[in-house]
Amino acid sequence: MKNDDHTEVHEEPRTMSDDEVHDYNGLTLNEQGEEEKKEEPEDDGFTIHIHSFSLHDIPWWKKALFVLGAAVCFGIFILLAIAAAWIFLVGGAIVLGAALILYLVRKYIL
């Protein structure tokens, strides 16, 4: 019992037009049947990639972590501002005290 199931397609090969080649998004094979890699455009250093997202798609715990992180950063900024003001206040008082001592020494002792 010989099974002779040959399916032959007698269809003329057809070439793609330039528009079809330009708009083709499928798999491209070379003459050896291997997948051809699409050439990536050269990066000239001026390429900008913009990714958009929706706040509704972000899980609640990530939103909570963001708010907590923002609050911590704001608190640290306030503490640093208070520390800088304190340093300037104390430093100014030290300079003013030293100037007063020098003034009194020059006026009454020398």
Side-chain angles (χ1 to χ4, degrees):
M1 176 179 211
K2 187 175 181 184
N3 192 357
D4 235 358
D5 290 332
H6 293 290
T7 306
E8 293 184 25
V9 177
H10 298 287
E11 188 177 308
E12 291 294 322
R14 157 180 113 70
T15 58
M16 295 172 71
S17 69
D18 289 338
D19 292 333
E20 289 173 327
V21 170
H22 180 69
D23 294 333
Y24 184 70
N25 291 323
L27 179 66
T28 304
L29 302 177
N30 60 14
E31 292 177 2
Q32 287 79 26
E34 300 166 340
E35 181 181 353
E36 282 188 0
K37 303 283 185 195
K38 286 189 175 183
E39 291 184 19
E40 296 289 330
E42 282 191 30
D43 185 17
D44 57 358
F46 297 104
T47 305
I48 297 174
H49 298 281
I50 299 175
H51 299 279
S52 61
F53 64 93
S54 172
L55 289 177
H56 298 291
D57 296 338
I58 299 175
W60 66 269
W61 61 271
K62 286 186 179 180
K63 293 176 190 175
L65 281 177
F66 175 76
V67 170
L68 180 66
V72 167
C73 288
F74 183 71
I76 290 173
F77 174 76
I78 294 297
L79 288 176
L80 288 175
I82 291 172
W86 178 255
I87 288 171
F88 282 119
L89 183 67
V90 170
I94 290 172
V95 169
L96 186 61
L100 181 63
I101 290 171
L102 286 176
Y103 172 75
L104 293 175
V105 165
R106 283 187 75 184
K107 183 174 184 179
Y108 293 111
I109 296 179
L110 297 175

